[in-house]
């Protein structure tokens, strides 16, 4: 691409199930 | 939905729903104003004096490619397709081992340590039962976080120590299918060699409270005599940090009295502390040190200064480079969007326990009677509280639906919303404004570093 440089390819679509895997920690 | 902004010559585009981040040139930046429903004739006529037809065509093609790859104007998620919580388990506990404190910080949300109740120290019995409660209610979750909190938790150091060792017993009892991880938050005045060595051996994270420059710290963080804590805590913190190979944060609070707080961050970095965080005070708006809407422009400029200095020191590999909590974005391995929707998990995945064993949704709700959930000895008596928090997310909070930063702040702090507006679904607007500025800076930093050093994979540390 000549005019755009992608710094991060979005990952919001990646998910393990309809409720997530639940392995992540909580953070305040 | 997209959010685009310019900063120091970089033109940045965030695609909100996919979480893609792009750096673009002028022609794309301008053409995006015509999206998501572009009219080619209108684009040509309005931009023909600025760009050639060929440039416009190329830019439109690039934009189209990203749209087809779902990295621009990606569709929003339908909440109906997902279940925010499927049998949530408790993963983290804020353990209030002391509702007492040996100093009297003027802005303390815990009313100088006693949470507006009698000063109280947690017994070993309550502490042990709390850890059992966490393990019992954690389902199959492996890592269990315990945050020793207060007041000043080191006023009850013997119990802290015993509880860490009790955690080892519990891990064995669960056939090592549980792993306790510890954090402690301390004002630093009670640190000595024995305690520092213990913290560095057993605490996975330590949070060391100091506000920055001596005159700033000693305005608010004072002993009962009125004397400031700076002279005592700096050498204490240095001793901890210099002998530590695990995570730590030196954490301060800024108020209306030090709106030049970038200098406090740089001061802490110059003292040799690398992992830094400084938080805006949240207090009664009638206090003379409370932040006001009219301060926002000044605050934004300060965050901008911190971002510029952060980049400068990183790129120079300066020995006084620093990490700033609010600028740490894990672009490569960010949480899934469900986690971003859920946010902190207060009342569900995260709870706070008081010295007598009462359970609250988080440390900020402690001793607010309407939020008591139960007790570690008798269990949950008011399940409505968890349900109440379960329903609150960026899907329900006022204004979040149309906000570009919603997947970064996850709706902000429930307690700040409640304290400011009496409703956890009505976010604290001053907090929203500051968070948006911090996120813009955090994304800018990642973009800037990627452009400056494209081959270096990770320039930041979480």
């Amino acid at each position: 691409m000549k005019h755009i440089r992608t710094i991060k390819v979005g990952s919001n679509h990646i998910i393990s199930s309809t409720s997530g895997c639940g392995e992540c920690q909580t953070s305040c | 939905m997209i959010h685009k902004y310019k900063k120091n010559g970089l033109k940045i585009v965030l695609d909100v729903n996919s979480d893609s981040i792009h750096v673009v040139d002028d022609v794309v930046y301008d053409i995006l104003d015509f999206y998501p429903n572009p009219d080619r004739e209108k684009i040509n006529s309005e931009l023909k004096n600025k760009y050639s037809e060929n440039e416009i065509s190329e830019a439109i093609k690039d934009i189209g490619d990203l749209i087809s790859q779902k990295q621009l104007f990606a569709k929003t998620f339908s909440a109906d397709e997902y279940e925010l919580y499927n049998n949530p388990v408790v993963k983290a506990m804020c353990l209030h081992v002391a509702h007492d404190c040996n100093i009297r910080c003027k802005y303390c949300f815990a009313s100088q340590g006693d949470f507006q109740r009698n000063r109280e120290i947690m017994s070993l019995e309550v502490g042990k039962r709390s850890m059992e409660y966490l393990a019992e209610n954690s389902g199959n979750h492996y890592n269990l976080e315990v945050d020793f909190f207060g007041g000043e938790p080191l006023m009850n150091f013997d119990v802290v120590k015993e509880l860490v060792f009790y955690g080892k017993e519990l891990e064995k009892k669960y056939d090592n299918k549980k792993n306790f991880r510890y954090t402690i938050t301390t004002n630093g005045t009670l640190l000595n060699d024995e305690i520092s060595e213990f913290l560095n051996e057993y605490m996975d994270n330590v949070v060391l409270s100091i506000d920055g420059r001596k005159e700033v710290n000693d305005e608010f963080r004072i002993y009962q005599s009125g004397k400031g804590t700076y002279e005592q805590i700096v050498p204490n913190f240095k001793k901890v940090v210099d002998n530590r190979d695990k995570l730590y944060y030196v954490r301060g609070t800024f108020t209306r009295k030090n709106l030049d707080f970038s200098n406090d961050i740089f001061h802490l970095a110059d003292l040799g502390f690398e992992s830094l965080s400084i938080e805006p005070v949240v207090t009664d708006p009638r206090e003379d040190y409370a932040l006001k809407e009219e301060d926002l422009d000044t605050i934004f400029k300060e965050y901008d200064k911190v971002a510029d200095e952060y980049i400068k020191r990183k790129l120079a590999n300066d020995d006084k480079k620093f990490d700033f909590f609010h600028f740490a974005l894990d672009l490569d391995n960010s949480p899934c969007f469900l986690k971003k929707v859920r946010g902190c998990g207060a009342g569900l995945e995260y709870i706070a326990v008081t010295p007598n064993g009462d359970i609250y949704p988080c440390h900020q709700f402690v001793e607010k009677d309407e939020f008591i959930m139960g007790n570690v000895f008798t269990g949950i008596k008011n399940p409505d509280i968890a349900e109440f928090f379960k329903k609150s997310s960026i899907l329900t909070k006022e204004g979040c639906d149309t906000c570009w930063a919603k997947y970064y702040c996850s709706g902000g702090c429930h307690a700040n919303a409640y304290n400011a507006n009496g409703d956890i679904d009505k976010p604290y607007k001053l907090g929203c404004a500051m968070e948006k500025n911090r996120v813009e800076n955090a994304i800018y930093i990642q973009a800037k570093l990627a452009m400056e050093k494209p081959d270096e994979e990770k320039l930041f540390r979480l």
Side-chain angles (χ1 to χ4, degrees):
Chain A
M1 285 201 184
K2 192 173 173 184
H3 300 272
I4 301 175
R5 179 167 166 189
T6 296
I7 300 299
K8 180 195 178 185
V9 175
S11 57
N12 271 358
H13 61 291
I14 300 171
I15 192 142
S16 61
S17 72
T18 54
S19 58
C21 73
E23 283 301 314
C24 49
Q25 298 303 304
T26 63
S27 60
C28 170
Chain B
M1 189 195 315
I2 65 166
H3 175 64
K4 67 188 183 91
Y5 62 102
K6 296 179 181 177
K7 190 166 172 56
N8 292 344
L10 274 191
K11 290 162 279 289
I12 296 168
V13 178
L14 166 70
D15 185 53
V16 174
N17 289 326
S18 74
D19 199 23
S20 298
I21 297 168
H22 313 284
V23 174
V24 304
D25 64 6
D26 286 321
V27 59
V28 167
Y29 195 86
D30 287 345
I31 286 177
L32 281 171
D33 287 335
F34 296 87
Y35 279 75
N37 301 305
D39 177 334
R40 181 63 194 261
E41 280 185 20
K42 197 176 176 192
I43 294 172
N44 280 345
S45 72
E46 291 195 21
L47 296 180
K48 65 183 177 189
N49 294 329
K50 213 169 170 184
Y51 308 109
S52 71
E53 195 165 324
N54 187 45
E55 284 177 309
I56 291 173
S57 294
E58 284 178 344
I60 287 174
K61 183 184 179 307
D62 283 358
I63 292 169
D65 286 348
L66 286 178
I67 291 173
S68 64
Q69 292 163 21
K70 298 180 180 174
Q71 291 178 46
L72 261 185
F73 300 104
K75 287 181 180 170
T76 189
F77 297 93
S78 165
D80 301 336
E81 293 173 34
Y82 297 96
E83 192 176 7
L84 270 190
Y85 285 102
N86 182 11
N87 297 322
V89 297
V90 183
K91 301 174 178 178
M93 174 180 280
C94 188
L95 201 55
H96 291 231
V97 292
H99 274 191
D100 196 359
C101 190
N102 61 322
I103 66 172
R104 297 289 181 266
C105 302
K106 295 175 186 172
Y107 49 54
C108 182
F109 77 91
S111 304
Q112 281 87 39
D114 65 3
F115 288 81
Q116 297 181 312
R117 301 288 168 96
N118 292 330
R119 295 187 178 272
E120 194 175 2
I121 294 289
M122 181 178 280
S123 68
L124 182 58
E125 180 195 18
V126 172
K128 283 182 169 180
R129 178 60 208 139
S130 299
M131 291 179 69
E132 291 163 4
Y133 182 92
L134 174 57
E136 289 162 7
N137 289 278
S138 61
N140 294 323
H141 200 68
Y142 175 64
N143 288 315
L144 305 180
E145 314 284 341
V146 175
D147 185 358
F148 294 110
F149 203 71
E152 173 49 48
L154 293 183
M155 290 185 79
N156 199 8
F157 177 61
D158 287 344
V159 165
V160 169
K161 206 160 51 170
E162 288 299 322
L163 289 176
V164 168
F165 298 138
Y166 187 60
K168 295 287 172 203
E169 289 179 35
L170 279 176
E171 288 168 358
K172 276 184 196 162
K173 183 183 164 188
Y174 281 86
D175 296 330
N176 291 320
K177 288 177 180 168
K178 301 290 176 193
N179 178 45
F180 283 96
R181 300 196 298 199
Y182 303 102
T183 296
I184 193 163
T185 301
T186 177
N187 65 38
T189 56
L190 300 175
L191 286 168
N192 57 32
D193 287 350
E194 180 207 354
I195 293 175
S196 297
E197 282 172 23
F198 182 85
L199 300 191
N200 280 344
E201 183 165 357
Y202 293 104
M203 295 293 147
D204 298 271
N205 187 10
V206 294
V207 180
L208 309 168
S209 300
I210 177 173
D211 287 348
R213 293 163 292 179
K214 176 176 164 53
E215 64 273 23
V216 170
N217 183 83
D218 287 355
E219 165 85 7
F220 283 94
R221 305 188 66 81
I222 54 175
Y223 291 101
Q224 291 183 53
S225 66
K227 182 173 177 282
T229 61
Y230 181 94
E231 295 291 355
Q232 185 163 10
I233 61 179
V234 168
N236 286 351
F237 289 165
K238 284 291 289 174
K239 194 170 271 187
V240 170
V241 168
D242 290 347
N243 293 291
R244 187 168 177 79
D245 58 4
K246 301 189 189 90
L247 184 64
Y248 73 88
Y249 266 103
V250 169
R251 183 196 181 285
T253 298
F254 75 86
T255 74
R256 199 156 201 259
K257 303 274 189 175
N258 65 317
L259 288 175
D260 61 343
F261 61 87
S262 65
N263 292 315
D264 293 296
I265 293 172
F266 304 149
H267 175 75
L268 293 170
D270 292 342
L271 285 174
F273 300 122
E274 193 171 351
S275 298
L276 307 177
S277 167
I278 191 159
E279 305 298 329
V281 70
V282 178
T283 188
D284 186 327
R286 290 168 296 189
E287 296 285 1
D288 65 351
Y289 56 81
L291 300 171
K292 300 179 189 302
E293 199 160 344
E294 66 207 52
D295 301 327
L296 282 175
D297 278 348
T298 304
I299 291 168
F300 294 164
K301 283 175 186 151
E302 289 298 297
Y303 280 130
D304 292 349
K305 276 188 208 169
V306 177
D308 290 341
E309 188 67 15
Y310 176 102
I311 289 170
K312 186 177 137 195
R313 295 191 189 195
K314 283 281 178 191
L315 289 175
N317 201 20
D318 191 313
D319 63 0
K320 295 291 191 281
K321 65 182 185 293
F322 60 91
D323 288 310
F324 184 56
F325 178 82
H326 289 291
F327 293 165
L329 292 184
D330 190 350
L331 292 188
D332 299 334
N333 204 22
S334 59
C336 66
F337 96 96
L338 268 176
K339 173 64 183 168
K340 294 172 182 173
V341 173
R342 279 197 295 248
C344 67
L348 296 152
E349 297 178 328
Y350 173 64
I351 56 173
V353 177
T354 65
N356 68 0
D358 284 343
I359 302 170
Y360 289 87
C362 94
H363 59 285
Q364 293 270 2
F365 286 100
V366 159
E367 304 297 12
K368 285 180 168 52
D369 290 340
E370 64 273 35
F371 285 100
I372 186 166
M373 299 170 69
N375 188 283
V376 292
F377 290 100
T378 53
I380 296 295
K381 296 296 181 196
N382 189 352
D384 292 348
I385 302 281
E387 285 302 312
F388 180 64
F389 279 86
K390 198 174 180 177
K391 286 175 184 159
S392 180
S393 73
I394 58 173
L395 302 173
T396 60
K397 285 178 184 273
E398 195 174 87
C400 289
D401 187 42
T402 54
C403 177
W404 64 266
K406 59 186 172 184
Y407 291 124
Y408 283 89
C409 78
S410 302
C413 172
H414 293 308
N416 286 355
Y418 185 77
N419 291 334
N421 302 312
D423 185 344
I424 65 171
D425 271 340
K426 288 186 178 170
Y428 168 53
K429 292 300 177 193
L430 218 56
C432 289
M434 288 185 274
E435 176 68 357
K436 282 194 260 197
N437 178 276
R438 292 189 299 245
V439 171
E440 280 193 347
N441 269 310
I443 292 172
Y444 160 72
I445 285 169
Q446 296 300 321
K448 179 75 174 169
L449 293 176
M451 300 298 275
E452 294 278 341
K453 287 190 168 182
D455 298 329
E456 193 157 338
E457 281 189 2
K458 280 253 183 187
L459 283 156
F460 65 96
R461 178 169 64 80
L462 280 173

